[in-house]
Amino acid sequence: MEGNQNYELDFKGKGSDFFGIIIVNWLLTIVTLGFYYPWAKAKQLQFMYSSTNLNGDSFSFHGTGKEMFKGFLKAILIFGVLYGVLILFVYLEMPFIGLFLFYVGFIAIFPLAIHGSYRYRMSRTSWRGIRFGYRGDRNEFIKLFFKWIGLTIITFGIYGPWMAMNMRNYLLGNVRFGDSEFKYNGDGGEYFILNLKGYLLTIVTLGIYGFWWQKDLFRYYVDNLSLRKGNEKINFTSTATGGDFFSLIAVNLLILIFTLGLGYAWVVTRTMGFVFSHVALDGNFDLDTLTQTEENYKDATGEDLSDFLDLDAVM
């Protein structure tokens, strides 16, 4: 087993640079009636990844607007079919059947979108030429997803924290970084207590504890994550405090208010810088020993479906 290694994770993106990208993206998306969106998203992701560094070397996002455009068209087609079914049954004067089929189809899209987005996003990400990958099985994940959501429904939402942690454990546990693998050890019971405590104390303190609740959630997400290769391991640890979250959120709100929203780019880059500056890495894993094992996957349908469903939080 090797001795402890040194790791440095940071984000160097500037708000001014991101602002330039966003303005051009907005204009071109408007001019093209929305069809430029896949290229806009690809450029934003390329900026974010290239601005993120590990031990002085930046990550790379290899996805292209062309790949995402194909997925974008497929996503529009899928949602078009769902709305078409709804309209058809409304026309046939059977709106309840139409709504039932629409929502069943809508919910069925979620696991496909999550699985597809992970598979695409990971396969198009690299560091020092070593690709990430996602090895989850689609059919297995779909079965698990409906099991979890079924339990959440019949328990009137109480099972939700267990569903969230089971999903995170499965998804992150199937992410590969070359010949190493991520592991997440979240527990639904702990997550339930964490949120119950945060909710109650936020009410009692008239919202003040909310910043410490965010700190606790961030810490739980980070501290349960690790990267492993054989006997070597890197542990992730949060160093953020409730005061840090208060400063971040308060300043971000002021920026948005006094710039009438134009400071959004600075809010994003400040937040990214905050996240990476408050994640510490410690372990005995020599990153120079990573070898390539993952393959390309160019179908971005899941990525675009996740956009339509606003699933970034799951990612």
Side-chain angles (χ1 to χ4, degrees):
M1 182 179 294
E2 298 291 334
N4 285 347
Q5 301 285 318
N6 294 318
Y7 311 100
E8 184 180 355
L9 184 65
D10 60 9
F11 182 81
K12 297 184 179 298
K14 296 180 179 179
S16 56
D17 295 333
F18 192 45
F19 180 75
I21 293 172
I22 288 177
I23 288 298
V24 173
N25 283 346
W26 282 351
L27 291 174
L28 290 176
T29 300
I30 292 170
V31 169
T32 61
L33 302 179
F35 283 97
Y36 185 75
Y37 175 75
W39 282 270
K41 182 175 182 181
K43 288 186 176 180
Q44 290 188 27
L45 287 173
Q46 287 162 6
F47 171 81
M48 289 297 175
Y49 280 63
S50 64
S51 298
T52 307
N53 296 273
L54 175 60
N55 287 2
D57 292 307
S58 64
F59 290 85
S60 297
F61 179 71
H62 305 280
T64 66
K66 182 178 179 181
E67 292 171 357
M68 291 189 177
F69 182 68
K70 293 177 181 178
F72 180 71
L73 293 178
K74 291 178 183 178
I76 289 177
L77 177 61
I78 291 171
F79 280 100
V81 169
L82 286 179
Y83 280 103
V85 169
L86 175 60
I87 293 171
L88 173 63
F89 278 91
V90 170
Y91 176 77
L92 295 174
E93 299 184 350
M94 294 185 285
F96 293 108
I97 295 177
L99 282 171
F100 174 77
L101 293 175
F102 175 82
Y103 283 115
V104 168
F106 188 78
I107 293 173
I109 289 174
F110 272 78
L112 293 173
I114 295 169
H115 171 86
S117 183
Y118 260 84
R119 190 174 180 189
Y120 176 75
R121 183 81 67 92
M122 292 299 106
S123 77
R124 309 305 278 148
T125 302
S126 70
W127 178 77
R128 290 183 179 175
I130 302 296
R131 291 188 179 276
F132 286 72
Y134 171 71
R135 296 190 182 182
D137 181 79
R138 183 181 61 187
N139 293 333
E140 179 186 26
F141 181 65
I142 290 174
K143 291 177 183 177
L144 289 171
F145 179 87
F146 281 106
K147 171 187 172 182
W148 298 330
I149 202 169
L151 289 171
T152 301
I153 291 171
I154 65 175
T155 59
F156 300 100
I158 294 175
Y159 189 77
W162 281 265
M163 176 176 177
M165 287 301 102
N166 287 340
M167 188 179 303
R168 191 173 287 267
N169 291 342
Y170 182 88
L171 293 170
L172 293 177
N174 277 292
V175 172
R176 301 293 182 266
F177 180 19
D179 57 344
S180 65
E181 61 183 16
F182 283 91
K183 197 62 114 179
Y184 191 80
N185 296 309
D187 177 78
E190 294 176 351
Y191 192 59
F192 175 79
I193 297 299
L194 181 67
N195 281 287
L196 180 62
K197 170 190 170 185
Y199 177 74
L200 294 175
L201 289 177
T202 299
I203 292 176
V204 170
T205 60
L206 303 179
I208 295 174
Y209 188 79
F211 302 106
W212 279 261
W213 185 9
Q214 288 298 312
K215 177 266 295 182
D216 290 339
L217 289 173
F218 181 72
R219 176 163 294 174
Y220 197 78
Y221 293 145
V222 173
D223 289 6
N224 282 292
L225 183 65
S226 62
L227 179 65
R228 307 180 183 195
K229 178 183 176 183
N231 294 324
E232 299 178 333
K233 182 169 76 168
I234 296 177
N235 292 311
F236 293 72
T237 306
S238 166
T239 62
T241 66
D244 292 331
F245 270 95
F246 174 80
S247 298
L248 172 71
I249 295 171
V251 174
N252 281 351
L253 283 174
L254 290 173
I255 290 174
L256 289 175
I257 292 170
F258 287 103
T259 64
L260 302 178
L262 292 176
Y264 171 75
W266 283 266
V267 168
V268 171
T269 52
R270 287 188 77 252
T271 302
M272 292 295 291
F274 173 89
V275 168
F276 287 109
S277 66
H278 288 91
V279 175
L281 281 64
D282 177 69
N284 62 346
F285 186 167
D286 185 356
L287 294 172
D288 290 333
T289 65
L290 282 169
T291 58
Q292 186 71 273
T293 60
E294 304 308 300
E295 60 183 19
N296 287 328
Y297 181 72
K298 298 184 179 182
D299 186 351
T301 306
E303 180 77 19
D304 290 288
L305 282 172
S306 69
D307 264 1
F308 279 100
L309 299 172
D310 192 21
L311 295 178
D312 282 346
V314 181
M315 309 307 161

